[in-house]
Amino acid sequence: MWSHPRMDTLTLILDTFAPIAGRRILDLGCGPGILAKALAAEGADVTGIDPGEAAIAAARSRVPAGRFEQASAEALPFADAEFDGAVILNALHHVPNPRTALAEAGRVVGPGRPIVVVEPLAEGSFFAALKPIEDETEIRAAAQAAIAAAVAGGAFACRRDMTFERHETFADLAAFLARVTAVDPARQAAIEADAANIAAAFEAAATRTPEGYGLTQPLRAHVLVPAG
C-alpha cells in the first residue's frame, strides 16, 4: 500500500477504466446517483444498485440515461460477466457480508475486468466527528479484512492498493449532520439523543477555515481483478 497525495476517487476510476466511454460500469451502493452522474457524463453506460428505495428514485431522477435497481450487493440481479467493470465507493463496509458482495461483483464483471473498491479508514478528522453518531471502527476493519481475504484466497488479484485523502468543508455543524444523515437517515435518532457531545466532537475535530469547518477522511483504494 502506498500514499498518493493528489489522487481523488473520480481520477482513479477514470484511469482504471480508460477509455471509459461506452464501457458498462456497475456502481454498487450507488446512493442517489452522484458518482453515476459523473461516470455517465464521461460516456460510461452506467448501472447502479442500492438497497434503499429513496436512493434509487433519486438516482433515476439524477441520471435518466442510467439503469438503477433496488437490490443487495450480496445478491446481484445480473448475469455472469454482464459488465466491463464495477465500482464500490464507500459502500462495502455497509454490507453485512462484504466477502459475499466482493464475490458477486467478481461474478458479474467476469475474469480480468477491474473492480475499484474505495473505503474510508477508521482514522482522520471526519471519522472523529462521525464517531459519536456512529462508530464504524469494526465495520470499516471488516471491509478491509474481507478484501485482504479475497486476495489471499486467490479469488482476486490486486492491481493497485493506495491511500489518499478526501477533504470536505462544511459551513457549520448542521451542514455536516445533513451530509451524514443523507448517507444513513437512521443516524438522525443518534444525533437527537446526544446532540451536545456530537457538537463538541465536531468542533474538536474540524479545522476552521475562511469557508467554514474542514474535515479530512483517509481513503484506501484497491483495484481488484477477478481470477479466471
Side-chain angles (χ1 to χ4, degrees):
M1 180 175 61
W2 60 287
S3 179
H4 195 302
R6 288 183 291 275
M7 180 59 72
D8 63 75
T9 298
L10 184 59
T11 300
L12 172 63
I13 294 168
L14 295 178
D15 180 59
T16 299
F17 295 113
I20 198 169
R23 293 196 186 275
R24 299 164 300 167
I25 305 298
L26 176 62
D27 181 3
L28 290 106
C30 65
I34 294 170
L35 174 63
K37 181 177 181 180
L39 298 182
E42 296 289 338
D45 179 3
V46 181
T47 297
I49 69 102
D50 197 280
E53 182 179 359
I56 289 298
R60 287 172 176 161
S61 177
R62 182 173 272 116
V63 193
R67 175 173 56 140
F68 298 95
E69 303 288 344
Q70 187 177 358
S72 164
E74 297 159 301
L76 296 173
F78 306 116
D80 294 358
E82 185 170 338
F83 299 96
D84 298 314
V87 179
I88 311 175
L89 175 58
N90 295 331
L92 188 63
H93 65 286
H94 291 297
V95 178
N97 191 328
R99 186 83 179 267
T100 300
L102 289 172
E104 273 290 270
R107 178 184 68 79
V108 301
V109 303
R113 295 172 176 173
I115 301 167
V116 179
V117 185
V118 181
E119 276 289 301
L121 298 175
E123 57 190 68
S125 57
F126 188 100
F127 174 74
L130 176 65
K131 193 172 182 179
I133 301 171
E134 182 178 1
D135 186 351
E136 292 189 339
T137 302
E138 291 187 6
I139 60 172
R140 293 187 183 192
Q144 295 298 326
I147 294 168
V151 173
F156 296 90
C158 182
R159 184 179 294 174
R160 298 181 78 172
D161 178 357
M162 59 190 297
T163 63
F164 54 94
E165 293 183 335
R166 182 186 72 219
H167 303 282
E168 295 182 77
T169 300
F170 300 92
D172 50 25
L173 172 62
F176 170 71
L177 297 179
R179 160 82 161 75
V180 300
T181 52
V183 174
D184 183 358
R187 290 171 172 167
Q188 185 61 42
I191 292 168
E192 293 172 0
D194 198 16
N197 285 334
I198 289 167
F202 175 77
E203 289 283 349
T207 300
R208 291 300 301 267
T209 72
E211 293 77 28
Y213 296 81
L215 294 172
T216 298
Q217 176 59 65
L219 304 170
R220 186 174 182 182
H222 293 83
V223 178
L224 304 177
V225 179

